[in-house]
Amino acid sequence: MSTDTERVEDGTETSLLESFRDWYHLPVIGVVMLFMVWLRTQSYERFVTEDGTPALAGIDSWYHWRTINWTAENYPHTMPYEAWTGFPTGNYVGQFGTLFDQLIVTAAMIVGLGDPSGETLYAVSLLSIPIMAALVAIPVFYAGRRLGGTIGGIVSVLVLALSRGQFLNRSTVGQLDHHVAEVLFMGLAILAMMVALTVAEREKPIYELVGDRNWDALRTPTIYSGLAGLALTLYIWIWPSAVLLIGILAVFFTVQLSLDYLRGISPDHVAFVGAVSLGVTAVLTALLIEQPGNTGSTSFGILQPLTAFLVAAGCVFMAWLARQWNNRDLERQYYPVAVGGLIATTFLLMWLAVPDLFDTIIGNATRRMVPFGGTTTDVTIQEASAPDSFLNHVFNEFGTAFYTMLAGLVFLAIRPLLGRKFRAEHALVLVWSVFLISMAATQIRFSYYLLLAVAIVNAAFVAELVQFFSLDLTGSLESLRSIETYQVIVVALVVLLLFAPLLPPLATATAWGQAEQTAPQSSSVKWEGSNEWLQENTPAVGNYGGADNASQLDYYGTYNPGDGDYDYPEGSYGVMSWWDYGHLITTQAERIPHSNPFQQNAHSSSAYLTAQSEERAELILDGIAAGGSVADKSNEELEAITQGNETDEEIRYVMIDDQMAGGKFGAITQWSGPDYGSYIENQQFQIGNETGEVPTVNDNYDNTTMSSLYLQDAAGMEQYRLVHESDDYSIVGGMRTSGGLAPRSSVSLRESGWTNQTRAIQNQLAAARSNDQIYSGLGRPVWDAHVVSSVKTFERVEGATITGSIDTSGIDAANATVGTSVELETDTGRTFTYTQRADLAEDGSFEVTVPYATNDELGVDDGYTDSSVEATGNYTVGAAVPGDDGMTQYNGEATVSETAVVDGETVDVSLEEVENQEQTDGNETTGNESNETSGNESDTDGGNAESGDSGSTDGTADNETAASITPVAAESAH
């Protein structure tokens, strides 16, 4: 080999080092971003099912999957209004169907060459979230580098990459939600504003340049300020509630312009940035207004452009006021006082003149930005609740990086005292970071925003340490040779301080361990079968009752509600459930829920589920159909609302799961009252030979519509019938949980179907319940517990009226009752008995309304339900009548058609006197109702069926033990 090719020319070594110093951060950032993508896609296979159905990790993810599919069908448009949720009004989707969905569909269009398949769209959707998370490293690095140089920027992206908690949880594969896009675009908006402020401080734009139209001098600051406004607009297009950043910027510009004036610097420079950037935002956000009169923050209305315009105008006004202050030779220190007074006056006038706008601004501040003043219902939303211990929370999220961030903020604030220049971007980061800390203390989810400040400000912390210890980290040979031992120790300690709490062995929970556990949400898996049944076995929306209007409700159609709510065609119907499950009903069942995770109609759903009688429950549903407010109304007020109202927009189905009857019930009560405590009392239960008090539910809980339907199989109700139950079963009752003794919680069984093991545990729990005993055979103590299908679906029907009469001569009709019962079987094989009773009239006539048919002559093609719960025989009707000669028994049998049930027809029955009274027990013939969850629970010996049950308990189940069934940990409640 020639020695010429091996010779290193003079200066080459220096050139290589300089190139390395200038560009080494790029491969570092690339490696970090690849690590972030890998970290978040470890569980990808769990979200790809064999049958191709979606499997997602969050409730809101399902609705984004809906809006993504809608956008793909209507590209490039996004969904403005949704008729497939919020029955009977529909709803503007607001923060769904935004730029976030459009970006994902655009990527899928590119990958799919303009026509992506469903599989391509799903794969792109899954991978887009980890990729967006990795892209956050770009604004974080460059913002960090502005505060702490290249080393500081690298520290920032490492803090970002190794963080666990909210940001990681919301950016793993399967989390198809806009949260990660919020973080990305907020980071871009803050970075763009930092650059624009620095450019303005350098170029010094003033009013005279604007007046002289000196565009050459104004070009550079205008371009950068306009880009900052565009970045802020994109953030708002991702999430309409990003208007909160406009509020933060309003505080920043107020502080910075005041500081500039006090320091003798013209406020024009920074005011120019505020006026141009927020002006651009005002114009661009006005293009997306969907509801001009709406002042809410979660949809595109007048709030976003109006607040942006007010801040832009405020910047111009403060610059003008500073000039007037100078012209009048007023003391500078009073300038901020005057500004504060004017702001207070503005809010006072807003409160008087535009109270809705004032309430929106203050409401958003108290709900999202300050840790006090929120509503009681906010605490029922898991992600919107405040952390129990803020300091423990931030340490779990960021380790000690949170505290070094606080030190970095102090270093930024005291820069003038250290003789270093204090730039406007430093004040921006200070104000922004303080608000993010407050937001994270207000709502748990906002920790994903706080991570931006933690990562970026740590660059300033590192930069101060580097300068304090005279560390030369430029990368030259001379700098490397000059490093002292103590400086190496300092670097090592800083690295340990920042990263050791996030890494093994100190970290008990690491980012990769947390990401590896990502799996489809249990609720979506549990509800999938019931929603599929609902889609296949109920009429298409618009076809109920034989109507033929389903074509008017295209699942991917565009709807315009006009000036009011959407007017649904005849044959439309809604589904009642708790708001948590609304998106699942929309996407999995393609049916229209009444309430949804927008918290739309949460008050009315709560009022219905906690109603203390069937009469009140019916009045609430009628009030909903009439378009009235029902949550806080008496029965008389509800009757007034529904009087004279005739509508086909009815809620026809009710879906309830174990969590609603268990841990979520407390949250349900918060929306309509009375509070949870009115449903709970302490009761004596026995465990072994000892007796003690444990919290359990009282009669108020048992009388709720939810309990009457779900735990009692609609026993004694006239217009509700069970039409389907899932083949997964749960235990619902009092039990010990991680939070202590819970009067109502739930735990799933690892059994599918109504098996002998399921029957066995049901028998044992029934025995314990009937004897006020605590059962300890499940690995945890449980009491007053039931075995129930995880999800039950009920239908609301008119009910058939069974009528008849008996001869009243010689009998006391005033004290006589008539009862009827029918045995029913679900498609899982579980049997139970429906019972109903009524008083006998003086003339011997009676009427009993029942919701179940004894045949299934109608189905989906006829516009009705193909129920999976069927009668095993006819109705048995009986009466026990006291008379002069003792108790007289009457018996009869009735066949009830499906037509009679859905149309409210009358069915006549003939009762005949039973002559052999000794062989007939009156309680058996009258259909004496059972209060058990299902009719086949047995007594303590497991052999004899309880009164009114079907007596179908399998004897072989008596030898099964509860220990053979392993309970799954109870899910946390919203």
mmCIF file with all atom_site columns, all heavy atoms in Angstrom, residues 24 210 788:
data_model
loop_
_atom_site.group_PDB
_atom_site.id
_atom_site.type_symbol
_atom_site.label_atom_id
_atom_site.label_alt_id
_atom_site.label_comp_id
_atom_site.label_asym_id
_atom_site.label_entity_id
_atom_site.label_seq_id
_atom_site.pdbx_PDB_ins_code
_atom_site.Cartn_x
_atom_site.Cartn_y
_atom_site.Cartn_z
_atom_site.occupancy
_atom_site.B_iso_or_equiv
_atom_site.pdbx_formal_charge
_atom_site.auth_seq_id
_atom_site.auth_comp_id
_atom_site.auth_asym_id
_atom_site.auth_atom_id
_atom_site.pdbx_PDB_model_num
ATOM 1  N N   . TYR A 1 24  ? -22.336 16.129  15.224 1.00 0.00 ? 24  TYR A N   1
ATOM 2  C CA  . TYR A 1 24  ? -22.500 14.867  15.948 1.00 0.00 ? 24  TYR A CA  1
ATOM 3  C C   . TYR A 1 24  ? -23.888 14.726  16.568 1.00 0.00 ? 24  TYR A C   1
ATOM 4  O O   . TYR A 1 24  ? -24.358 13.610  16.850 1.00 0.00 ? 24  TYR A O   1
ATOM 5  C CB  . TYR A 1 24  ? -21.433 14.731  17.045 1.00 0.00 ? 24  TYR A CB  1
ATOM 6  C CG  . TYR A 1 24  ? -21.676 15.590  18.268 1.00 0.00 ? 24  TYR A CG  1
ATOM 7  C CD1 . TYR A 1 24  ? -22.352 15.088  19.379 1.00 0.00 ? 24  TYR A CD1 1
ATOM 8  C CD2 . TYR A 1 24  ? -21.236 16.912  18.322 1.00 0.00 ? 24  TYR A CD2 1
ATOM 9  C CE1 . TYR A 1 24  ? -22.572 15.865  20.505 1.00 0.00 ? 24  TYR A CE1 1
ATOM 10 C CE2 . TYR A 1 24  ? -21.452 17.696  19.430 1.00 0.00 ? 24  TYR A CE2 1
ATOM 11 C CZ  . TYR A 1 24  ? -22.112 17.175  20.525 1.00 0.00 ? 24  TYR A CZ  1
ATOM 12 O OH  . TYR A 1 24  ? -22.328 17.951  21.634 1.00 0.00 ? 24  TYR A OH  1
ATOM 13 N N   . VAL A 1 210 ? -43.251 50.333  10.546 1.00 0.00 ? 210 VAL A N   1
ATOM 14 C CA  . VAL A 1 210 ? -44.553 49.932  10.011 1.00 0.00 ? 210 VAL A CA  1
ATOM 15 C C   . VAL A 1 210 ? -45.227 51.112  9.336  1.00 0.00 ? 210 VAL A C   1
ATOM 16 O O   . VAL A 1 210 ? -45.780 51.005  8.234  1.00 0.00 ? 210 VAL A O   1
ATOM 17 C CB  . VAL A 1 210 ? -45.444 49.362  11.128 1.00 0.00 ? 210 VAL A CB  1
ATOM 18 C CG1 . VAL A 1 210 ? -46.822 48.992  10.581 1.00 0.00 ? 210 VAL A CG1 1
ATOM 19 C CG2 . VAL A 1 210 ? -44.792 48.152  11.768 1.00 0.00 ? 210 VAL A CG2 1
ATOM 20 N N   . VAL A 1 788 ? -72.622 -12.327 37.670 1.00 0.00 ? 788 VAL A N   1
ATOM 21 C CA  . VAL A 1 788 ? -73.422 -11.675 36.639 1.00 0.00 ? 788 VAL A CA  1
ATOM 22 C C   . VAL A 1 788 ? -72.638 -11.656 35.335 1.00 0.00 ? 788 VAL A C   1
ATOM 23 O O   . VAL A 1 788 ? -71.405 -11.568 35.335 1.00 0.00 ? 788 VAL A O   1
ATOM 24 C CB  . VAL A 1 788 ? -73.759 -10.215 37.038 1.00 0.00 ? 788 VAL A CB  1
ATOM 25 C CG1 . VAL A 1 788 ? -74.949 -9.703  36.247 1.00 0.00 ? 788 VAL A CG1 1
ATOM 26 C CG2 . VAL A 1 788 ? -74.028 -10.098 38.523 1.00 0.00 ? 788 VAL A CG2 1
#
